[in-house]
Amino acid sequence: MDANDVYNIAKALPQEELIRLCNMLDISVRPKTKIKKKRKALPEFTVNDGIRYLLKHHFNKIKSQ
């Protein structure tokens, strides 16, 4: 059965049954919404904490040649 057959059958339905069919199709064809994951709360950082982190992890590396 293809969409043309179903369309012709649906056109033969009475008005209230056609509305009911449209509602049923709307519910079953809707895209499913994704559930978003909640992010972990970040700890409180101060400006000094950020500067210490940058100095320790990014600016004190010795480049080997």
Side-chain angles (χ1 to χ4, degrees):
M1 185 180 290
D2 64 350
N4 288 328
D5 296 335
V6 176
Y7 175 75
N8 290 330
I9 294 169
K11 278 184 74 172
L13 288 173
Q15 184 69 27
E16 54 272 355
E17 287 298 315
L18 185 60
I19 292 170
R20 210 169 134 211
L21 176 65
C22 288
N23 289 336
M24 290 168 54
L25 285 173
D26 184 43
I27 290 170
S28 66
V29 176
R30 277 188 201 151
K32 307 242 185 224
T33 57
K34 292 184 178 180
I35 298 173
K36 294 182 179 180
K37 294 181 182 178
K38 291 185 178 181
R39 289 187 177 186
K40 281 193 296 186
L42 293 175
E44 292 294 322
F45 287 114
T46 62
V47 174
N48 287 335
D49 292 335
I51 292 171
R52 277 192 214 110
Y53 176 83
L54 289 173
L55 288 174
K56 182 178 178 184
H57 291 93
H58 294 283
F59 292 107
N60 282 341
K61 292 185 180 179
I62 298 172
K63 295 182 181 180
S64 57
Q65 293 179 347

